[in-house]
Amino acid sequence: MIHDGNAFVTNRKLKTHHQIANWFSNIIERQNNNYSSMSTSKNKSVFLKNSLNLIFKFLFTKQSFYYFLFYFILFYFLNILFFSSNCNNYCNNYCNTNNLNNNLNNQLTLQEESLQEMFDLNILLGPNFTKENINLQKTIKNLKTIVIFIGTRPEMIKLSNLILKLKNKFNVIVISTGQHQEMLQQTSKAFKNIKIDIDLKLMQKNQNLPSLYLSTLISSYRVLKSLQQQNSLIDLVITQGDTTTALATTMASYFLKLPIAHVEAGLRTFDFENPFPEEFNRKIIDVISSLHFTPTEFSKRILLKENLCEETIHVTGNTGIDALRERLIELKEDNYLIQHLTDDDNEENRNALKLLMNNNQNNRINILVTSHRRENLGEPLENICKALQQINLKFKDKLNILFPVHLNPNVQQVVKKYLQNEKNINLLKPLSYEIFPEFLQRVDFIVTDSGGLTEESIALGKPCILLRKVTERPEGIYEGNNNVQLVGTDIEKIINQMSINIKRILNKKSKKEENNYYKIIKNTYGDGTASEQITNILTNLLIDSKDGKNIGIKFPYGCARNRQFEIANQLYSQQS
């Protein structure tokens, strides 16, 4: 049982400490209210004056000198906290409200009753969480209800086609956590038919993993519970990939005993630190999911090795290839490239496309570079930038390096520090998915730490240098066509592999070999029909009847119990 702060004061030895602590707390609260309208310099002078008065007042009491020393040091550090460079933001968010102590106590209890007091529903769930949004889903009666969570750019891309196909047969409720709010909004422009029904808007500036996970878990739990109360039944929750959004929403669904389907299941590096925390996330998601849609036979065998039930595993290909195929068809048929080269409303896209087209005409080698992974932040990213500097110097005017820089400040600072003034290295804002497939088509090869981009490069037959120690998508490495080269972040290895690719492509350009634009030329990760296959499987399980009854989706308890019997039989039969 978790108690509040007062419950810990259980004897007389602690009573004095508790009283003094309350005294200091009251003084800080009063001073903060007084300082809210003062300038920073005046704040500090007033604070110093009051601190000295406090010291002399305290010295003339009969309290122990050691008590005084302890609490004065505590008071000093609280002063630093309140008047740091973040004072204004901190005070605006917390100090000028009367809910700070309540929030802290409620965070300790973490019980349903406390959560209702701790959070305001409109703040927690975002302005779009309204009864009207939910009631809209009830207009089509007698349809099964599927909830789909998205929070990041890759999730939006990889679930877009699936959402559209499912809506033809199910009530589909799309919930956004807003984990990558700005990039998600940008990506949504390429998928205008996708409507976000509930936007939680949970992401905050410099938010850490535990706070993001906790807020997503609590918010998604409450949304699902509310949906259950209004719609009476949620037949399935779909999550994609291995993000914090995917893990937290899966856990919320599990706590409500809702069946879960995992799209892009079975990916493993077998290294919990690479990638971190994605390797842990996807393993947990797979364990508690009732359905697993794997991109390849390789990923299916991984799940079987982990003793998941084969009846729950379906090899469908990756839904990201579906999105790529559809986008390429649109680019080809609608002359999308020419349209955006003359569209004043898309200045960033237009400038990036012009740059790409000009360099195609000048026979330069176009190299697309991306890096954003958490495990590559810091020194590894610095090594990547140093390697790009040296390769640019080595080949001079033969290269054009295009680097869309992730919005993460930790990425922005390092990349701009090393590459901002480098000739032939173009730092771009994150590219909209409206034109991103066009870039993939027209660059000569790709240097990245992105898993999704690795899949797309293989599909398009583009050489890919992978800036990682290990990968959960090893198919391109083991297939034997040398399409993916795993080099990590060692400077020399990056330079050597880029040099090999550059020389090979220069030779190819001299022969004027034809490019296969707007085509999926390899189907390692599927032929672009994964969404259709998943829809058909769910239709068979949720809609089509068997002996007049719906089959439904349940956790495979029978299969799980058989696993236990097999182990017991092997163990105890040997002993007998």
Side-chain angles (χ1 to χ4, degrees), residues 63 70 84 168 182 251 258 282 289 299 325 371 428 474 500 508 526:
Q63 304 296 338
F70 172 79
S84 66
N168 293 326
E182 186 174 343
M251 292 303 301
L258 296 172
R282 56 195 174 216
S289 293
S299 48
R325 187 187 72 165
S371 181
L428 310 174
I500 292 171
K508 180 180 177 181

Side-chain angles (χ1 to χ4, degrees), residues 299-351:
S299 48
K300 175 183 177 178
R301 294 196 181 191
I302 288 175
L303 294 181
L304 292 176
K305 285 283 186 181
E306 294 180 355
N307 279 330
L308 271 68
C309 300
E310 187 169 8
E311 66 194 67
T312 71
I313 305 170
H314 304 271
V315 181
T316 61
N318 198 299
T319 54
I321 303 302
D322 297 15
L324 178 62
R325 187 187 72 165
E326 292 294 325
R327 200 79 197 114
L328 291 176
I329 292 173
E330 292 176 6
L331 287 169
K332 182 179 180 180
E333 292 181 350
D334 297 340
N335 205 9
Y336 196 85
L337 177 63
I338 302 301
Q339 174 186 335
H340 274 67
L341 284 172
T342 57
D343 188 348
D344 293 335
D345 294 330
N346 294 271
E347 184 177 357
E348 293 172 10
N349 285 351
R350 186 180 71 251
N351 291 338

